[in-house]
Amino acid sequence: MVVNPRYFSPLSMQEQKSRSVSFSNTLATIENGTALNDHIGIDAAAKVSIEVELDAGVELGLISSPYHKISRTQLSGSQYRVSLTGVKADRDFVLNWRPQLDTKPVAAVFSQQGKTHSLSSKAQVEPTDSKASTKADSNKAVEDDYALLMLLPPSAQKQDVSISRELILVIDTSGSMSGASIAQAKRALNYALAGLKAKDTFNVIEFNSYVGSLSPYSLPATAKNIGLANQYVRSLKANGGTEMQLALNAALDKSTEDEELGSERLRQVLFMTDGSVGDEQSLFHLIKQKIGESRLFTLGIGSAPNSHFMRRAAEFGRGTFTYIGKLDEVQSKIESLLYQIERPQLTDIKLRYADNRVPDYWPAMIPDLYAEEPLLVAIKMNSMRHVSSPTELIVSGTIGGQYWQESVSLKERKPELGLDLIWARKQIAALELSKNGVNEQRVKEQITALALDYHLVSAHTSLVAVEMTPARASGITSKSVELLSAIPFGWVPPTTLPQTGTASRLFILIGGLLLSLLGIYLLSYYRAFGLVFSPQERRDA
């Protein structure tokens, strides 16, 4: 509900001058205006009210919001109405719900027939000629069906079976992480280090305008090495830019020592950041090219992280996204995440129909299902004339080396809206990532056609509304007002903002040194002309 100022790498800004927002312009406006708090609009921040109709498809054991007070009403066995009323828009809204879990993975599916934008218009059309209607129905194209598959992991297992891992811990130490964010991230690192097993290896990487690391290669998780890592974490300070591309290169590249030391270990990268970057597309390309067999888990830190980037990055990295919004939940969420990634519940997941046809689904490479973390897959069920519509979806995978599968019925077509839009947005995102200098025009045409077909806004399409009835009397003069957003909750103005793009601590140190030299010079100057007297000299005078 609030957006951080974005950091653009100097290299990316040269490529995106036409659409990047200069952070220095924001700072200049603040300096020339009133006080920082007044300008950002803390007291005048917009108020937000949200109402959610939740249909989880299964019975729920818990509904909660960690950062806001909500009210809830149960409508049926699995349906609830959740309300948030009149809160300040200075942090993200998170709604958590936990299903009643079984001893085995559970698959639930929501389905929809036809496109969202055409369903309501169809309901309004009533044919007057039954023969004409029958003929039209026989000639019209068969519409596609859409589904959203939700895989739920089994309840906690009693046996403590974990895997050997190479754990790469990456922490963002840019200026936007100052204040509560860097404290949360450092505490998260400490808990992650404490959870390492003797059979694991690890490394710690920090990045701002530059990249630093505890070691050039991963280290065995001995008490001595973990102690060195804790000292390294304590020394980290938030300052400088957010050069995430350098950090991802360092985290996803494997050295020769790493390959020899961790050849049989599962390589897992924990990436902790507020995600305040503006060149997401190039980062997505980098992850896709370098992820290999590694798994990328993103941790959103602070009150307003770039959740779009971190969710998509985790999808490409076959990992998960975890959001940490306040300091006192770091321990519980890190412990839960470490428990999850040590224990994949279902791997090698595949989808097919009963007749062995394969549906069109996203993500194309379905990630593993981890403990306490549901998995969502958007599906387009291609309908064909003379071929019966699929009525059964078979989900299969591997649990602890054993084959598992479950059949889910697709016969019921609920009047859900938006499942086609979820699939279409995923397809547009995949097309955007496939774009390069050779196929750029073709991909643009594909995205445009897809967005127009599903009535979606994209990089090449927009929605235009034309108001035919004046909403304002002709005698009233309109005024333009700039809507100011609040500072994200937990930020420390005014020192937080300038640090995002500059090495301010270095400049302060240099300035202090120059002032000291000037003081020494003036002191020697005054003594040379007798302008400074000792206490005894003053008494004699």
Side-chain angles (χ1 to χ4, degrees):
M1 297 195 296
V2 60
V3 179
N4 287 351
R6 295 288 188 249
Y7 172 84
F8 285 86
S9 167
L11 295 177
S12 66
M13 284 189 69
Q14 293 177 4
E15 302 171 358
Q16 306 178 31
K17 283 182 179 179
S18 60
R19 57 190 179 97
S20 65
V21 178
S22 174
F23 191 50
S24 59
N25 290 344
T26 304
L27 293 178
T29 305
I30 293 172
E31 292 170 359
N32 295 331
T34 57
L36 178 66
N37 290 2
D38 295 335
H39 181 87
I40 296 296
I42 290 180
D43 295 331
K47 297 295 180 67
V48 174
S49 295
I50 297 176
E51 186 170 287
V52 179
E53 290 189 8
L54 172 62
D55 184 358
V58 293
E59 292 187 15
L60 299 182
L62 175 70
I63 299 177
S64 64
S65 176
Y67 315 119
H68 296 90
K69 186 177 180 179
I70 59 173
S71 61
R72 63 175 184 174
T73 304
Q74 186 169 4
L75 304 177
S76 66
S78 63
Q79 291 182 314
Y80 295 82
R81 178 177 291 116
V82 180
S83 300
L84 176 72
T85 306
V87 299
K88 186 184 296 186
D90 63 351
R91 67 179 80 182
D92 287 356
F93 171 64
V94 175
L95 181 65
N96 296 324
W97 63 91
R98 179 175 298 168
Q100 300 282 4
L101 299 178
D102 200 350
T103 56
K104 294 182 179 180
V106 176
V109 67
F110 301 89
S111 57
Q112 168 187 321
Q113 186 173 30
K115 297 184 178 68
T116 297
H117 69 81
S118 62
L119 291 179
S120 58
S121 60
K122 279 184 181 179
Q124 298 173 4
V125 177
E126 297 183 2
T128 56
D129 188 340
S130 59
K131 293 183 179 180
S133 174
T134 304
K135 184 177 180 180
D137 289 340
S138 63
N139 292 331
K140 71 178 182 180
V142 179
E143 290 205 61
D144 292 320
D145 296 344
Y146 300 87
L148 184 67
L149 173 69
M150 179 171 62
L151 286 175
L152 299 172
S155 57
Q157 302 293 319
K158 291 184 178 180
Q159 61 270 24
D160 187 14
V161 180
S162 59
I163 57 176
S164 299
R165 300 172 299 147
E166 179 188 359
L167 191 62
I168 309 299
L169 302 170
V170 185
I171 179 172
D172 179 355
T173 56
S174 63
S176 64
M177 286 284 291
S178 62
S181 296
I182 189 68
Q184 292 168 15
K186 290 170 74 170
R187 182 174 291 188
L189 278 178
N190 289 331
Y191 283 120
L193 291 169
L196 289 167
K197 306 292 192 301
K199 57 186 176 182
D200 298 333
T201 60
F202 76 99
N203 200 359
V204 180
I205 297 173
E206 64 116 354
F207 72 96
N208 42 58
S209 297
Y210 309 95
V211 172
S213 63
L214 171 67
S215 169
Y217 49 86
S218 295
L219 301 172
T222 62
K224 178 182 178 181
N225 289 335
I226 292 176
L228 292 173
N230 285 324
Q231 293 179 13
Y232 181 76
V233 171
R234 284 195 295 270
S235 68
L236 298 177
K237 307 292 182 184
N239 188 51
T242 312
E243 294 297 337
M244 202 173 289
Q245 186 168 354
L246 301 178
L248 286 170
N249 269 315
L252 298 178
D253 280 341
K254 293 187 68 173
S255 65
T256 304
E257 291 84 352
D258 289 338
E259 292 177 352
E260 294 176 355
L261 193 61
S263 57
E264 298 181 356
R265 290 181 171 87
L266 178 61
R267 197 166 194 270
Q268 298 176 329
V269 178
L270 267 65
F271 206 93
M272 307 179 192
T273 176
D274 60 0
S276 292
V277 290
D279 51 350
E280 293 98 330
Q281 287 301 120
S282 61
L283 298 176
F284 292 148
H285 279 289
L286 176 64
I287 295 169
K288 186 177 179 181
Q289 292 170 1
K290 294 209 166 189
I291 190 64
E293 294 301 317
S294 300
R295 302 293 194 269
L296 177 62
F297 301 84
T298 55
L299 284 84
I301 302 293
S303 57
N306 186 346
S307 298
H308 161 70
F309 165 72
M310 283 178 285
R311 287 186 188 279
R312 293 284 289 148
E315 283 184 6
F316 290 124
R318 288 179 289 174
T320 60
F321 166 59
T322 302
Y323 173 44
I324 299 176
K326 56 184 178 182
L327 197 61
D328 58 5
E329 69 180 6
V330 170
Q331 180 177 1
S332 62
K333 290 206 171 182
I334 289 297
E335 288 179 349
S336 176
L337 176 61
L338 294 176
Y339 178 85
Q340 291 173 23
I341 66 179
E342 288 179 2
R343 299 164 178 83
Q345 301 295 298
L346 186 63
T347 59
D348 301 323
I349 300 172
K350 294 180 175 59
L351 304 181
R352 63 179 175 87
Y353 297 131
D355 59 2
N356 287 326
R357 285 186 294 153
V358 178
D360 183 358
Y361 59 82
W362 177 269
M365 292 183 61
I366 302 177
D368 301 333
L369 177 67
Y370 293 94
E372 301 179 0
E373 182 76 18
L375 178 64
L376 298 175
V377 183
I379 304 171
K380 179 181 180 181
M381 298 179 285
N382 295 318
S383 300
M384 296 181 292
R385 196 180 299 278
H386 309 306
V387 177
S388 59
S389 180
T391 59
E392 190 177 24
L393 180 67
I394 297 176
V395 187
S396 63
T398 303
I399 304 177
Q402 301 295 319
Y403 181 78
W404 169 91
Q405 80 170 33
E406 181 171 329
S407 176
V408 184
S409 175
L410 296 172
K411 292 181 180 178
E412 184 179 3
R413 293 290 188 267
K414 297 181 180 179
E416 305 290 350
L417 295 177
L419 301 186
D420 59 322
L421 306 182
I422 296 175
W423 176 87
R425 287 192 181 102
K426 297 291 188 182
Q427 295 302 309
I428 289 174
L431 286 169
E432 288 175 341
L433 284 173
S434 69
K435 185 166 55 178
N436 55 47
V438 177
N439 66 356
E440 186 169 352
Q441 183 59 34
R442 178 170 59 86
V443 169
K444 178 180 178 181
E445 293 173 357
Q446 290 176 320
I447 292 175
T448 302
L450 194 61
L452 291 175
D453 191 19
Y454 288 87
H455 291 203
L456 289 174
V457 174
S458 70
H460 312 296
T461 58
S462 62
L463 300 180
V464 179
V466 179
E467 178 60 63
M468 303 304 295
T469 304
R472 166 180 60 86
S474 58
I476 299 177
T477 304
S478 62
K479 294 189 299 182
S480 297
V481 178
E482 181 181 0
L483 180 61
L484 301 174
S485 62
I487 287 181
F489 180 84
W491 276 37
V492 187
T495 57
T496 301
L497 298 177
Q499 291 177 359
T500 301
T502 64
S504 58
R505 297 183 187 277
L506 176 62
F507 296 156
I508 292 172
L509 180 62
I510 294 173
L513 180 61
L514 292 174
L515 287 174
S516 299
L517 293 174
L518 178 61
I520 294 172
Y521 170 75
L522 292 176
L523 184 62
S524 63
Y525 176 81
Y526 290 153
R527 283 190 176 276
F529 286 90
L531 298 177
V532 177
F533 302 94
S534 66
Q536 182 62 42
E537 290 172 331
R538 288 198 296 270
R539 285 195 296 271
D540 293 343

